Amino acid sequence: MGRDAPISSSVICNFRSSVCQALVLEIGETVQILEKTEGPCYSLFNTFALSIQQGIFPASYVHLKKSTVSNRGVCETVVPLEDPIITETTSTLQEWGVLWKQLYVKHKVDLFHKLRHVMNELIDLRRQLIQGHLAQDQTREIKRHITVRLDWGNEHLGLDLVPRKEFEMVDQDHISVSELYKLCSSSVRSQGDNMRQRHGDGCHVPVQHHLFINLKSFTYNTISEDADVFFSLYDTRDNKQISEKFMVRLNKNGGPKNPEKVDRLCALFTDLSSKDLKRDLYIVTHVIRTGRMLLNDSKKGLPHVQYRRPYGCAVLAMSDVFHTITDLKEEKDFVLKVYTCNNENEWFQIHENIIRKSSTKYSAPSTNYGLIISLQLLRGELDQIRRENQAVFSRALAITRKLGFPDVIMPGDTRNDLYLTLERGDFERGGKSVQKNIEVTVYVLYADGDTLKDCISLGSGEPNTSEHRSFVLYHNNSPRWSEMIKLPIPIDRFRGSHLRFEFRHCSTKDKGEKKLFGFAFTPLMREDGTTLSDESHELYVYKCDENTTFSNQGLYLSMPCCKEDFNSCPNLPSTLPFQRNPKETFWVSTQLCSTKLTQNVDLLALLNWKAHPDKVLDILGQLRHINGEEIVKFLRDVLDTLFCLLDDNTDKYGPLVFQSLVFIINLLRDSRFYHFRPVMEAYIQNHFAGALAYKELIRCLKWYMDRSAEVVRQDHIQEAMRALEYLLKFIVQSRILYSRATCGMEEELFRASIQELFQSIRFVLSLDSRSSETLVFTQAALLNSFPDIFDELLQMFTVQEVAEYVRGTLGSMPSTVDIGQSMDVVKLQSIARTVESRLFFFPESRSILLPVVLHHIHLHLRQQRELLICSGILTSIFSIINTSAMESSVQEEVEMMVESLLDVLLQTLLSIMSKSQSLETARGQRCPQCTAEITGEYVSTLLSLLRQMTEVHFHHLLNNFHSKEELKEFLLKIFCVFRNLMKLTIFPRDWSVMRLLTSHVIVVTTQYLSPALHKNFSEADFDFKVWNSFFSLTVLYINQPSLQLEPLTQAKRKKVLDKYGDMRVMMAYELFSMWQKLGENKPHFIPGMMGPFLGVTLVPQSEVRNIMIPIFHDMMDWEQRQNGNFKLVEAELMDKLESMVSDGKGDGNHRELFGLLLLEKIEQETWRETGISFVTSVTRLMERLLDYRECMKGDEMENKKIGGSSNLMNFYKSEMNKEEMYIRYIHKLCDLHLQAEDYTEAAFTLLLYWELLHWEDRPLREFLHYPTQSEWQRKEGLSRKVLHYFNKGKCWEYGISLCRELAFQYETLYDYQSLSWIRKMEAAYYDNIIEQQRIEPEFFRMGFYGRKFPFFLRNKEFVCRGYDYERLEDFQQRMLGEFPQAIAMQHPNQPDDALLQSDAQYLQIYAVTPVSDITDVPQLERVPERIKSFYRINNVTRFHYDRPFHKGPKDRENEFRSLWIERTTLILSRPLPGISRWAEVERRELVEVSPLENAIYVVENKTQELRTLISQYQHRQHHGNINPLSMLLNGVIDAAVNGGIARYQEAFFDKEYINSQPEDTERIAQLNDLMQEQVHILGVGLAVHEKLVHPEMRPLHKKLIDQFHMMRQSLYVAQQGLPAAYTGVNSPRGILTTHSHMSPESVRLIHRHSPMNLQGSIRQSSSSLSSHTSSEAGGNLVILTDGLMGEPPEDTAHMQVGLTCTCFIFQPSPSSSSLSSIRSTSSQIINSAPSSARGHFLMHFDAFHHQNSDPPPALPIRSLRKSPLHPIPGSPTSPQSALGGSNSTLSGSASSGVSSLSESNFVGQYPDPPVRNDAMEPVPSHLWTPEEYLDSPYLHIHYSGPEAESLDQVRPFHYRNPVSHLHPHSHPQSHSQTAGLDGHPHPHSHSHKVMLSFLLSMLHISNLLI
């Protein structure tokens, strides 16, 4: 198959094959056949692939079709030879198919389903078009449907607009830019917009509407007779029927009487105008039954005579129909209820009564029945409706016409209908006792007496009849029928025919006879040839009887039929065949609708003028009073008559014939008769015979024009000017006829007369019309008609001659300044139509007319008047020139237009654009001259002109400037216009064709203009303004969105590149070339053009970047030469880089290319080092900016956004030192925190800006969202915002210092109101610390390894503060969700270099433990645990995690001896929490923990876990679920018995180990103390377990008790084997110690024999469950918590407190050094109960004497001081110092209440007592049993605290007046009750004061004892 006969094929089935040479085919693809093989395969070339793909495939998989090949070669394109709209539909469906699936993914379900429906429709329409079996109009309609759907889909999918012409895509190379703009604009307009007419005044052809009605059912079970149903349209405003009737005959069952009409009872009411639809129209339905006279007649059987009797009426308002039917082709059902008339005398107006709702005159039937009809509104020509709705017309549709002619009368519309209405009659009773039942029978008879067959129609839908019987009104001698019938009488039978009306009385007797008693008649046509007039006629009634015969109609035709007839017949005979009854009359009305008959006497007189030649002048004078319908019906006859009169006597009849002809011509300008214009033209061409008429017509026309300057009233002159087109047609045709008859005689005379006529035309146009309004209208009428005569003149004259006539006429018009504004529009419209005329298409005429046309346009553009019309004229000119581009004359015409229009076009565009910008800024009313439409028009006009210009035109243009100033002004204008084209939105986004074409014209024009710029404005003549304008243009051009090809689809990108190439590269080369030509003038643009050029380099096009990046080296070099550095370049580049990258510009390729190219250039420079530093800084900044932008994408997680913002913020501060950018990113980071609800981090972030401000009154400018204000005000506002965020983040401790800062400032300014507010806030923060619940987060270490991570994460490790309740597994899932490409590392080992440099993402996560610094502060021992807990996990910079290993050989007997821990400590760059939840790890510290230290750590952590869980169970936080406690106790006790502590004892309490490790003496003692503490905590836990355990779990509890005794015994035995130095007797951490240090104010000793009754309780910090038993040797002092007890004994209220005191001191141990890496859920709860919860302690005081003889120990004095965490002087909410830690004693719990009261209210009243140290003997552990906790005989002493606490937590005391703060639920009578486990406080009473005094006294006594 040769290459000269290319064949393409469409793939009709997918093809896959394992053969290597086989080509993969997808259905719908187009392939080109290159060669046909012997087998069933082809090799092919896939035209849709970017690279050539060849292969074989089976022939059956494709459908062959012919095609052509364009651009033969490597990039050749195959174009199938098929209808272009088929090709477009195919490619569009392929493109939509991809986007359609994306709609489903994006959850755009509605559009997804709509698009699927449209695609299916397109496939079906395309199939119909391909088959090719459609008629021409059907094909056109199919194409219209296809294009509508294509445009709809493209619009909704955001695709490009496709400009079309005749449903096909246009080739932009074959039309001008202006025309392309017009097509794009018309594509987006509604197709319903009215088109302006080229003729006359722009008449609009009215659109016809048609109403389809279908009767579906009629239920009337009470009639049981046949019925006739009549439908008609009724106008209530005029009270008249406006349509014929549609008739349906139904049988007694309600079905059609004719079985063939089942489901075919439908009609179409035609010819309804828009005006008709605005009337108050109703569908009126009358029901006439046929049967008995009375429905209630009791006679059985069928009646002998059938009567037509009125039954009922129904109405339906058309307004309801229009509101319901929204779509033109929508069919809706309606129900019409039938009403009956109460009085038959008013039957004629029953419909009016129903419409007026006169309910007394009609009634509804008892049953709810009526008519069900369906309606549909159709629009358009009837033939079009018939084609589009063939199914409707196939149902025997009854065409029901409008009464009278429609608004538009078609020439071929032949009608001859006479509508007769039987109005009413008055008849005598005739001697009868009752009134008559009168029936009227109507006959149509011809002159010979024969009845005309089938000439009576009751309504459409039923066949015509020969007679009609009216319905009968019961007992009514004055019946009113108002019954209309149609008489379609043939035109040849109309003359001589007459109507006869016979009147019969219908008897209701047995026989039911109908007796004739009279008749009336009327002829249809009068003697003068006119038909009956459209009015009511009163007819005489003549007597007759049943025996009368009318065989001889001449007998009564000779008698007068009415009064007018009687008056016109004076000689009547005295005796008549029939006697008239003067008392009886009959009224009928007629309405004629005929195209052949007339009722107008004047028209008949004109047509028959020869019968009365003396009346011709009068007849001609009456012509303009004849109805236009009558004239157009007889148009040919009237015209023949007029020209016959002209030939008969030119001098006498000439002027009147001319006036009559003008009247008729103007009559055809009416929209109703517009379609008769072809009839007029056909008459002129085929029937006109007035060979001499041209002379008189020219003479009369010239006479009218010459008198225009003299006559005041110029109506007749204006009418003649409007009729100029057809007058010239008559003149030319008359001259042609004369020339044929005379062989061209009098040719010169004719030419002379035409020349004189044009002189008269010029004379009229040259008159000054500013003072005469009538003259303005005359000139306007002449100008409107003038372009219509060109085609007629071309029949008689050459093109040049006609052009000269026209040029002279257009040239005679005054300039714009000399005429009024009203004439401007008319003049330009005339010029526009001249340009659009056929005359202008001839090159020889265009060269004559173009100068005068351009002259007028130039004048209007200079004055900025009528811009839209001028642009339309230019569009037409360019369209013609573009079509004639191959002609040589076009170049001269373009040159002419450049000289005349280019400069004024630029000026006009600048003016329009400036007005548009100012209007947009002011947002005022739209100015007609500043709309986008005008801008687009003139832009397209300018582009059309520039596109037509060749190199020669530009050369002439640039050389014709007289000076450089003119050239400069021109260049500035055109560059400014081009810049505005790219900055303003001239063309919508989807006008891709227009945008690309605009860009192409601009780049070509710039290439032509740049040499002139360099030639005239370089070196000595350098002009910065012009060069700067040029550079700004090129930068804007390269950056414009329409040229960015990267986001486009592959197919569209290829299409653009094939058409235009990459225009960005073209302009970049031009820019670089001009930059190089600047030479010594380059410094003028440094650093000003840095930002714009940087924006160009950020365009994602490699070639553009390679061209532009070296310019920066040039700039650096020039500034280095001038200033010795390039700081300005650096500063400018850094500033611009941030905003551009943030806007989405730039990528990693640009960063690499920027550094590579510049470093290569800099390598040879003397300033190499500073240059490299600069380039490195820029690339590092760009790297961070790109990371930030990547993180800020909408679908990225908050953590990545926060990390990127923080990274960039720190970079601006630390490396760039750009404070403003730093502050901006502070606020961006703060906003991200707020979005993530990280309020603490938001507060810390804002503090960075707060620290930059000072408490000064220095004014600050408006910045970001801050108004203009002083620095003090801004810092105060920031402080309040930070406090708000700290409060929402529950970090009140951080807010307190800020409160103090603000308080100091307010106090300095004596702003006591604000001071009061801030102090209250500070107090509220203390309350929140005590009362609010806070969750303790976990911390996780993250490592990001691999080069695929963002720069700020790459190969770095961080510690992250987890969310509330977030565990390690949750955190891992969250991070893997944020980095879906990352691979989770399953080990904690450090990665190697290969992994760090890999192109992947590896994520390493494990939990770490915070290491707080507060353990190093000894003063914190008295701080409650809940407060210390906050500081343990906040403001932390050190975290660690452990890895166990065995050092040396593993001890097989006891592995704990060799089990070492490798502890890695991570030191962060900043503490957590901070400005982010993440903090980068700054360095790592690695230490090894010995087995003994590890044992201490493990025991201590396990004890802490026990303490916390037991505390929660004491306060009922687990709601009865004892399983966690059981499991924990079992795990510890069972492990201690079977291993656990026992293994530690074996390992470290062995004498051999002690002797070998003397340096571990202190640690061994510490481990011993911790073991004893754990045993004590276990005992407390067992006591709680005893109380809460379920009976079924008692065996387990018993087992635990037994194992606990064994554990305690083993520990005691092991302790006995230790030296005294290890038993803890003198150890500071001893659990069972004799003495410990304690301050006197921390002790409250209350003896049980005291006479004082304690009814209340003192608020204190919560008790610590880790408190230990302490007593003298042999004593039994035990401290229990309320959680171990049941309800207190009844004698609690009578507890005595004695004055004999002894002192106990318990030394607390320090807090645990750290938390375990994985803590239980309970460990997160710092504050887990409301402040009303209470704790209770039981103190056992069996013996208060020492067992040894040592003197009583001295108690240490501890000064009353405030907490170092809250050094607030005089604050009532300051928390007391209390002992905390893991083994707090009584001094940290029972004493805290007194110390709090003393510190709060009695500070400074007592001196600090001296310090004394003593010791107590230890209490042997074997003396303790759990029963001591449960069954102690000693009374309880209750201390109420603000919250229930864990064992080791001590809360700050919040003092309140014990009287004024009663618990709302306490009962006033229950003073003796103690607070129970429900947490309710005790009721308060006056005894609080007594108790307070007693405690103070005891404090004083304690000091004295010491």
Side-chain angles (χ1 to χ4, degrees), residues 896-1078:
M896 193 185 308
M897 296 183 71
V898 170
E899 294 177 1
S900 176
L901 293 179
L902 182 57
D903 185 68
V904 73
L905 275 177
L906 292 173
Q907 189 63 44
T908 302
L909 265 174
L910 288 175
S911 175
I912 293 173
M913 290 175 176
S914 63
K915 289 179 181 179
S916 299
Q917 288 176 326
S918 61
L919 185 68
E920 184 177 352
T921 304
R923 294 184 180 180
Q925 296 180 348
R926 292 185 61 198
C927 173
Q929 302 291 341
C930 307
T931 59
E933 181 183 6
I934 290 182
T935 309
E937 293 273 2
Y938 277 91
V939 167
S940 62
T941 301
L942 175 64
L943 295 176
S944 297
L945 180 57
L946 294 175
R947 190 185 184 195
Q948 293 289 341
M949 293 175 65
T950 62
E951 185 178 0
V952 175
H953 295 130
F954 279 105
H955 180 73
H956 290 167
L957 170 69
L958 298 173
N959 289 335
N960 286 341
F961 289 106
H962 301 293
S963 66
K964 288 188 177 181
E965 282 300 317
E966 291 183 3
L967 176 60
K968 172 186 173 182
E969 183 180 357
F970 168 75
L971 291 176
L972 288 176
K973 283 181 184 178
I974 196 168
F975 290 159
C976 183
V977 168
F978 286 168
R979 287 199 308 272
N980 287 338
L981 290 185
M982 288 170 280
K983 287 192 293 186
L984 300 177
T985 309
I986 305 299
F987 305 122
R989 181 191 58 82
D990 58 342
W991 289 22
S992 178
V993 175
M994 280 298 300
R995 287 171 172 256
L996 290 172
L997 186 55
T998 301
S999 300
H1000 177 69
V1001 172
I1002 290 176
V1003 71
V1004 172
T1005 303
T1006 305
Q1007 290 172 341
Y1008 284 129
L1009 297 179
S1010 57
L1013 173 62
H1014 171 245
K1015 178 181 177 181
N1016 294 278
F1017 301 102
S1018 296
E1019 298 178 356
D1021 297 325
F1022 174 77
D1023 190 292
F1024 173 80
K1025 192 173 182 181
V1026 182
W1027 280 91
N1028 187 65
S1029 182
F1030 173 82
F1031 285 135
S1032 300
L1033 166 64
T1034 55
V1035 168
L1036 275 173
Y1037 181 90
I1038 297 173
N1039 281 296
Q1040 60 178 322
S1042 59
L1043 293 185
Q1044 310 313 312
L1045 305 180
E1046 289 71 23
L1048 304 180
T1049 61
Q1050 188 177 17
K1052 185 175 179 181
R1053 189 184 315 124
K1054 181 178 182 300
K1055 184 178 179 181
V1056 174
L1057 291 175
D1058 290 345
K1059 183 74 175 177
Y1060 298 108
D1062 198 329
M1063 292 180 279
R1064 296 172 297 178
V1065 177
M1066 298 165 61
M1067 187 61 88
Y1069 275 118
E1070 195 67 28
L1071 191 157
F1072 182 79
S1073 172
M1074 295 299 288
W1075 172 263
Q1076 295 299 330
K1077 293 175 183 178
L1078 271 176

Side-chain angles (χ1 to χ4, degrees), residues 1729-1741:
S1731 60
S1732 60
R1734 302 289 178 254
H1736 306 282
F1737 295 93
L1738 175 62
M1739 302 176 62
H1740 292 195
F1741 297 137

Side-chain angles (χ1 to χ4, degrees), residues 1576-1593:
H1576 174 72
I1577 297 301
L1578 287 170
V1580 176
L1582 286 171
V1584 175
H1585 194 265
E1586 169 75 21
K1587 184 177 179 180
L1588 301 177
V1589 71
H1590 194 272
E1592 294 180 358
M1593 300 297 291

Side-chain angles (χ1 to χ4, degrees), residues 597-802:
L597 301 174
T598 181
Q599 298 170 335
N600 192 283
V601 179
D602 296 330
L603 181 58
L604 285 176
L606 176 63
L607 297 177
N608 299 319
W609 66 275
K610 291 183 179 180
H612 306 281
D614 54 329
K615 298 181 179 180
V616 169
L617 295 179
D618 296 333
I619 294 173
L620 289 175
Q622 293 296 322
L623 181 65
R624 62 176 54 243
H625 301 295
I626 300 175
N627 191 341
E629 293 180 2
E630 301 296 324
I631 293 179
V632 297
K633 287 191 296 184
F634 304 95
L635 180 61
R636 178 179 171 183
D637 297 331
V638 171
L639 292 175
D640 285 340
T641 301
L642 290 177
F643 287 107
C644 184
L645 286 171
L646 191 61
D647 291 340
D648 183 71
N649 194 332
T650 303
D651 296 335
K652 183 177 180 181
Y653 302 135
L656 285 176
V657 169
F658 182 84
Q659 290 181 11
S660 300
L661 192 61
V662 167
F663 168 73
I664 295 174
I665 292 172
N666 286 323
L667 184 65
L668 299 185
R669 295 166 56 86
D670 191 324
S671 60
R672 296 184 62 200
F673 313 119
Y674 193 81
H675 285 281
F676 278 87
R677 293 170 70 92
V679 177
M680 171 75 85
E681 293 176 358
Y683 172 81
I684 295 173
Q685 294 294 326
N686 303 322
H687 302 287
F688 174 59
L692 298 174
Y694 74 92
K695 298 180 180 180
E696 183 63 19
L697 293 178
I698 293 176
R699 186 187 68 81
C700 291
L701 185 59
K702 186 175 183 304
W703 182 80
Y704 271 83
M705 291 182 182
D706 293 340
R707 296 191 63 222
S708 58
E710 307 168 2
V711 182
V712 176
R713 289 183 55 84
Q714 299 191 3
D715 297 345
H716 55 294
I717 301 177
Q718 295 166 10
E719 290 180 359
M721 298 300 102
R722 294 188 187 99
L724 185 61
E725 175 188 3
Y726 280 95
L727 290 175
L728 257 293
K729 288 180 183 290
F730 280 114
I731 291 172
V732 170
Q733 185 66 21
S734 176
R735 174 61 196 172
I736 291 174
L737 293 175
Y738 186 81
S739 297
R740 289 176 186 170
T742 62
C743 297
M745 292 179 57
E746 302 182 7
E747 180 68 23
E748 293 301 325
L749 291 176
F750 173 72
R751 287 179 172 270
S753 62
I754 293 294
Q755 183 70 30
E756 293 176 357
L757 179 62
F758 270 91
Q759 289 178 356
S760 299
I761 292 175
R762 294 168 192 164
F763 168 74
V764 173
L765 294 178
S766 63
L767 295 174
D768 187 358
S769 60
R770 287 177 292 181
S771 58
S772 174
E773 184 177 356
T774 56
L775 184 56
V776 169
F777 291 141
T778 302
Q779 291 176 330
L782 176 57
L783 286 174
N784 283 329
S785 302
F786 180 68
D788 297 327
I789 69 174
F790 299 161
D791 289 342
E792 308 307 322
L793 294 174
L794 287 173
Q795 296 184 51
M796 304 300 299
F797 303 97
T798 63
V799 172
Q800 291 88 344
E801 289 175 333
V802 176

Side-chain angles (χ1 to χ4, degrees), residues 1455-1526:
E1455 66 177 7
F1456 290 105
R1457 289 178 181 170
S1458 60
L1459 185 63
W1460 287 68
I1461 297 295
E1462 181 186 83
R1463 176 160 295 164
T1464 303
T1465 302
L1466 307 175
I1467 295 92
L1468 306 185
S1469 59
R1470 55 177 175 79
L1472 286 177
I1475 62 172
S1476 171
R1477 283 187 174 270
W1478 297 10
E1480 186 176 354
V1481 176
E1482 194 173 58
R1483 68 179 189 276
R1484 305 164 64 96
E1485 293 179 356
L1486 190 66
V1487 296
E1488 293 181 349
V1489 180
S1490 67
L1492 179 57
E1493 292 173 330
N1494 182 43
I1496 293 172
Y1497 177 75
V1498 171
V1499 174
E1500 190 173 24
N1501 274 304
K1502 183 56 69 175
T1503 303
Q1504 173 70 16
E1505 186 178 354
L1506 279 166
R1507 182 185 295 115
T1508 304
L1509 187 59
I1510 293 169
S1511 174
Q1512 293 175 359
Y1513 275 100
Q1514 280 185 305
H1515 300 96
R1516 298 292 180 89
Q1517 294 179 4
H1518 282 265
H1519 306 289
N1521 182 12
I1522 197 69
N1523 291 340
L1525 181 59
S1526 301

